[in-house]
Amino acid sequence: MRATAKAHTNIALIKYWGKRDEQLILPMNNSLSVTLDGFFTETTVHFRDDLETDSFTLNGEEVSGVPFERVTKFLDLFRDYTGKTDLFAKVESINHVPTAAGFASSASGFAALAAAAAKALDLNLSEKELSIFTRQGSGSACRSVYGGFVEWEKGEREDGSDSYAVQIAPQDHWDIRVAAVILTAKEKDVPSRAGMKLTVDTSVFYDGWLKSIDQDLRDIKAGILAKDFEKVGSIAEANCLKMHATTLGAAPPFTYWQDTTLGVMHEVWQLRKDRIPAYFTIDAGPNVKVLYLPEDEEKILARLRSVKGVEDIIVSKVGAGISYK
Ligand code: DP6
């Protein structure tokens, strides 16, 4: 009853921003991401009859408090599913995501945890079923079940049985690159969970956000299939700007951007004025991810490195889905 799984993180090109059910983690809108090969988590789950509680280590250190509660609550889903309500596990995770740089590791973390738990219990889940489990740990994680380009279908049902991710195009479909630009951060972020709730509850711009999603999704999927970089990049960047605009319309208003974030955004706009195709996207934090094509890598990295406040840049290719050891 022991298994090890590896999952990569992903970056949304069409953002998941807002829940219709907090408990089951059901989203207000479909989202679409690309899985990244540069960031991943490897997790071993060992269910043992002699344990009286779960335990969780991350990079060799015992985890307690809220992060531990999230893991043990997540394992409850598997205990309920199998009816083995007094079976506990030893969970060991290694994060190959620079957490010091403030990168969310919950996507790769919950995808690897779900996959390892399901395998340890010999559940033989389909990818769809695994995605449904994973979603309940962290929404964006359900997209990390697959490699390549992935859409999370929000679903309609109240029980969440039709809210899961599907692959739009495989890892080898298209070689685009994502530079994760790590900035010197001054303030602590509003966690994505709290930020999206405040936005849904109070933002005067939230309806406008929701109304724009269908068109963005239709266009970006066509762009991905046609490998039209300008189309995909411009839709992703505009979608990110719309998501971040909703936070400015919240009460109280807030933003994830810092002066250094704006510095990178302006550099990307300048790159395009100089006819070098690059587009950005930003999650619930100050760091910026820049999308570009392999042939422009050298020029783009040099320009990004010159921006004030850039601490580090980590380059990813399109990544793979879940794998097992
Ligand atoms: C801005 O998946 O971290 O990165 O479901 O509450 O765990 P929970 O939220 P999470 O939110 C991700 C928000 C985002 C956009 C995205 O990845 O689609």
Side-chain angles (χ1 to χ4, degrees), residues 168-213:
I168 300 298
Q171 184 186 13
D172 61 4
H173 168 68
W174 192 18
D175 183 14
I176 62 165
R177 304 284 163 91
V178 178
V181 183
I182 297 157
L183 301 164
T184 27
K186 288 185 209 111
E187 295 141 38
K188 213 174 148 23
D189 301 336
V190 179
S192 54
R193 204 161 269 196
M196 69 172 84
K197 179 159 172 43
L198 182 66
T199 308
V200 175
D201 291 347
T202 66
S203 179
V204 292
F205 301 146
Y206 194 70
D207 276 350
W209 158 256
L210 286 182
K211 283 195 187 110
S212 73
I213 295 291

Side-chain angles (χ1 to χ4, degrees), residues 120-302:
L121 293 166
D122 256 335
L123 297 185
N124 272 318
L125 299 181
S126 64
E127 284 174 316
K128 168 180 151 180
E129 290 167 317
L130 189 58
S131 178
I132 288 175
F133 268 107
T134 306
R135 187 200 77 224
Q136 295 170 75
S138 180
S140 55
C142 79
R143 300 184 306 236
S144 277
V145 167
Y146 303 90
F149 297 82
V150 183
E151 181 174 3
W152 174 11
E153 295 177 352
K154 66 183 165 69
E156 304 291 340
R157 293 187 206 133
E158 271 178 32
D159 66 358
S161 58
D162 58 351
S163 185
Y164 52 83
V166 295
Q167 191 180 57
I168 300 298
Q171 184 186 13
D172 61 4
H173 168 68
W174 192 18
D175 183 14
I176 62 165
R177 304 284 163 91
V178 178
V181 183
I182 297 157
L183 301 164
T184 27
K186 288 185 209 111
E187 295 141 38
K188 213 174 148 23
D189 301 336
V190 179
S192 54
R193 204 161 269 196
M196 69 172 84
K197 179 159 172 43
L198 182 66
T199 308
V200 175
D201 291 347
T202 66
S203 179
V204 292
F205 301 146
Y206 194 70
D207 276 350
W209 158 256
L210 286 182
K211 283 195 187 110
S212 73
I213 295 291
D214 284 352
Q215 182 77 42
D216 279 3
L217 267 171
R218 255 198 306 277
D219 292 347
I220 206 165
K221 281 196 275 190
I224 289 167
L225 295 178
K227 302 185 195 174
D228 182 339
F229 185 69
E230 202 180 314
K231 185 168 184 172
V232 169
S234 55
I235 296 166
E237 187 174 296
N239 182 271
C240 150
L241 291 170
K242 281 181 279 197
M243 176 205 128
H244 286 269
T246 66
T247 71
L248 298 177
F254 67 104
T255 183
Y256 290 105
W257 298 352
Q258 299 192 7
D259 53 351
T260 46
T261 311
L262 277 159
V264 177
M265 291 160 69
H266 280 279
E267 189 61 38
V268 169
W269 287 327
Q270 190 57 49
L271 278 162
R272 291 217 292 277
K273 279 191 192 138
D274 299 340
R275 299 186 178 282
I276 303 170
Y279 297 86
F280 62 75
T281 185
I282 305 163
D283 278 341
N287 296 320
V288 183
K289 281 90 178 176
V290 179
L291 311 169
Y292 59 89
L293 292 169
E295 57 264 31
D296 298 317
E297 183 152 283
E298 222 173 297
K299 278 177 281 183
I300 288 177
L301 294 185

Side-chain angles (χ1 to χ4, degrees), residues 6-9 35-37 144-148 171 318-323:
K6 172 178 172 180
H8 291 88
T9 189
T35 304
L36 301 179
D37 80 339
S144 277
V145 167
Y146 303 90
Q171 184 186 13
V318 179
I322 280 167
S323 58

Side-chain angles (χ1 to χ4, degrees), residues 11 13 108 116 137 179 181 223 299 319:
I11 177 77
L13 304 180
S108 53
V181 183
K299 278 177 281 183

Side-chain angles (χ1 to χ4, degrees), residues 46-115:
H46 193 179
F47 284 100
R48 280 183 6 206
D49 291 325
D50 62 321
L51 297 175
E52 285 177 3
T53 169
D54 296 318
S55 67
F56 173 39
T57 63
L58 181 59
N59 297 337
E61 288 189 24
E62 194 77 36
V63 177
S64 59
V66 175
F68 171 73
E69 295 302 327
R70 268 181 86 177
V71 166
T72 190
K73 208 176 136 230
F74 186 68
L75 291 176
D76 285 344
L77 299 174
F78 289 89
R79 284 186 273 267
D80 290 347
Y81 182 82
T82 55
K84 296 176 179 168
T85 49
D86 52 3
L87 184 62
F88 296 97
K90 188 167 179 236
V91 178
E92 292 170 302
S93 262
I94 303 289
N95 240 346
H96 301 266
V97 180
T99 30
F103 270 83
S105 52
S106 62
S108 53
F110 278 101
L113 177 62

